[in-house]
Amino acid sequence: MAPGPQTAVVLPLLDPGKLSHTGRVDALKALERHAAWIQAQQVHILAALDADAQAALPEGKWSEGIEGELNFACEEVACALKLSGTTAAKRLQVARELDSHYPTTLGLLERGEICYMQAVAVTEACGVLDPLLAAEVEAAVAGKMPGLATGQTRRVLAREIVRADPYGAEERHRKRKRERQMVHYAQVDGMAMWGAILPAEQAARMNQAVDAHAATLPDEGRTLEQKRVDALFDLVVNRTTATSTAGAGGTGSAGEQGSGGRSAAVVQVTVPLDVLIGESEEPAQLKGYGPITAGQAREIAFAEGTIWRRLIIEPKTGMLVKTDPTTYKPTAETERHVIARDGRCTFPTCQMPAHRCDLDHVQPFNHDDPEAGGQTVPENLSPLCRRHHLMKTHHPGWRVTRDPDTGITTWTAPTGHTYTNPPRNYLE
């Protein structure tokens, strides 16, 4: 049932001590819907408080900065809710935006169909657009949001924003590129954060170069993340010679840059052919990052040394059909196909990149009679991070199926609840 005053009054009946395990999961979902409904009510109140403060401003012409300084709704909210001034100001801004510009998103929140952080994501992502374009983006994502986690919502928003405003996206990218900078600050226990804010395609190449170098280091009891950090330090401080490569993959083409014989890291960009040849400004997809502008994709695709690899997709669904045959062995091609097709661990909400996952048989492989089922073919394989692979294999009650026609993976929990994960869509 949609949350509201009538359903809220019976929430105390959801006594965890009297519920089955399945009932507790259902209760958790009901409470989360009501939490969203309450947050929507807070949005209405916050927007009204902000309007009160605006109406109370002294008459006269003020600059926007002066008006902001005289609007004390932030202080009222901060004191009432025991929040910092920054947090209170953010809550007011989100409420103002939702109430004024995003009624559809606010309605979804009020009905408990999305969470508050998804609503925040809409206001943050669309803040760079004019109201008409922002409304277009909201309309494009509204129907999808109830089935998405917050991180997935942000990725869909990012792609729709590039699609709705490709030239603005290029200009924002150029502006941010001029603002690139190093980041370095202290953390507790004698540690520090060190990195850089830089173009996504450069970050992807650096990330792959670090992975390639980390793979050459001896384990010596180190975890993969420890080796990656040590590899980064080695590359920067000791100036170890290492070669990284970049490439483009796509509905029309894909590629890698390499330098013969040496360890190469691949950066994959999925880009439609019409974008590649400059007849469309649709966004491309940078593996490990998300949507990038058409200009960024063309810059990568036509960089010196780039090699293209074609990916064939189904035009109506955007699903990957197959990769072109290459000189790799069939098992390598199958692995590359599944990783390119799914992109991430196929457990709902998991964001582990597919290239760091295990390739798991959806239907178990029959070691006694391989022809009997569970074959090692793309249709029966899916990438699972180590945690979800172990859960599927060893935790009683978890089951997974994959629809070969739609590519939808369906997970069934021990409680009987089902959760679906749609396939990667190269057209979105």
Side-chain angles (χ1 to χ4, degrees):
M1 297 178 64
Q6 294 80 14
T7 54
V9 296
V10 298
L11 290 179
L13 298 177
L14 301 177
D15 182 353
K18 297 179 180 179
L19 295 171
S20 66
H21 185 74
T22 301
R24 289 170 187 157
V25 174
D26 287 331
L28 185 66
K29 293 165 67 176
L31 290 167
E32 186 70 10
R33 289 196 300 272
H34 283 79
W37 171 69
I38 289 173
Q39 286 169 319
Q41 309 315 306
Q42 278 197 330
V43 165
H44 291 304
I45 296 294
L46 287 166
L49 285 170
D50 186 69
D52 289 344
Q54 291 288 344
L57 289 173
E59 293 185 2
K61 295 183 178 180
W62 307 90
S63 68
E64 184 176 343
I66 294 296
E67 282 188 356
E69 292 176 8
L70 294 176
N71 185 334
F72 297 113
C74 177
E75 283 70 23
E76 288 186 286
V77 172
C79 291
L81 301 183
K82 299 181 176 63
L83 302 175
S84 70
T86 301
T87 302
K90 178 64 177 178
R91 294 273 289 271
L92 281 164
Q93 179 187 4
V94 170
R96 183 166 56 247
E97 292 293 315
L98 287 172
D99 187 69
S100 301
H101 303 301
Y102 306 106
T104 301
T105 300
L106 183 53
L108 290 171
L109 181 66
E110 196 155 17
R111 293 191 298 274
E113 296 181 36
I114 63 172
C115 71
Y116 178 72
M117 291 310 300
Q118 287 177 279
V120 172
V122 171
T123 64
E124 289 179 341
C126 295
V128 298
L129 302 174
D130 66 53
L132 288 178
L133 284 176
E136 288 182 17
V137 170
E138 183 193 30
V141 303
K144 302 174 183 178
M145 282 198 294
L148 302 176
T150 301
Q152 294 170 323
T153 299
R154 289 189 181 277
R155 284 195 298 275
V156 172
L157 281 164
R159 187 168 186 84
E160 290 299 335
I161 286 170
V162 176
R163 176 175 285 157
D165 186 27
Y167 301 108
E170 288 281 8
E171 179 55 37
R172 290 189 293 274
H173 173 64
R174 284 193 290 268
K175 181 173 183 282
R176 291 297 302 276
K177 190 173 182 178
R178 292 193 294 268
E179 297 170 353
R180 60 192 183 275
Q181 59 180 300
M182 293 291 298
V183 179
H184 177 211
Y185 54 85
Q187 292 192 326
V188 298
D189 300 323
M191 303 298 286
M193 167 65 191
W194 184 89
I197 299 174
L198 72 168
E201 62 271 22
Q202 291 183 357
R205 293 181 65 181
M206 291 175 65
N207 195 55
Q208 297 292 345
V210 168
D211 282 350
H213 188 46
T216 69
L217 301 180
D219 286 341
E220 298 175 340
R222 290 179 287 188
T223 66
L224 174 61
E225 286 305 316
Q226 290 169 340
K227 288 171 64 177
R228 294 179 79 236
V229 172
D230 295 343
L232 175 63
F233 181 83
D234 198 26
L235 289 168
V236 174
V237 176
N238 298 327
R239 300 176 183 271
T240 301
T241 301
T243 303
S244 65
T245 62
T251 58
S253 55
E256 308 139 36
Q257 287 178 331
S259 182
R262 285 177 287 181
S263 173
V266 177
V267 174
Q268 179 175 304
V269 177
T270 304
V271 48
L273 183 60
D274 55 351
V275 171
L276 201 63
I277 63 178
E279 292 191 357
S280 172
E281 295 301 311
E282 285 281 294
Q285 190 80 10
L286 175 60
K287 181 179 179 180
Y289 171 76
I292 59 174
T293 66
Q296 287 177 275
R298 287 191 285 266
E299 183 178 345
I300 297 171
F302 294 109
E304 183 180 356
T306 295
I307 301 171
W308 295 356
R309 179 187 298 136
R310 186 174 60 182
L311 305 178
I312 303 172
I313 66 163
E314 209 291 317
K316 291 184 179 179
T317 65
M319 286 177 57
L320 179 67
V321 177
K322 77 180 299 291
T323 57
D324 259 0
T326 69
T327 57
Y328 287 104
K329 296 179 181 179
T331 53
E333 182 189 350
T334 296
E335 180 179 358
R336 184 171 59 252
H337 177 102
V338 174
I339 290 173
R341 180 192 69 196
D342 294 323
R344 291 181 174 81
C345 171
T346 53
F347 185 80
T349 75
C350 185
Q351 305 303 315
M352 180 67 73
H355 70 274
R356 295 175 62 183
C357 293
D358 303 328
L359 289 193
D360 176 65
H361 289 76
V362 178
Q363 180 183 353
F365 182 78
N366 190 326
H367 292 276
D368 298 325
D369 184 7
E371 299 296 327
Q375 294 183 344
T376 308
V377 294
E379 294 77 15
N380 191 46
L381 293 172
S382 65
L384 293 180
C385 70
R386 184 56 53 88
R387 174 179 176 81
H388 294 126
H389 191 176
L390 290 173
M391 183 185 76
K392 171 184 175 289
T393 304
H394 299 292
H395 192 291
W398 279 99
R399 302 188 310 277
V400 60
T401 59
R402 182 180 185 275
D403 188 313
D405 296 323
T406 65
I408 293 175
T409 302
T410 300
W411 288 74
T412 304
T415 59
H417 294 92
T418 59
Y419 306 97
T420 58
N421 194 26
R424 181 179 185 179
N425 188 331
Y426 277 86
L427 299 179
E428 290 187 347

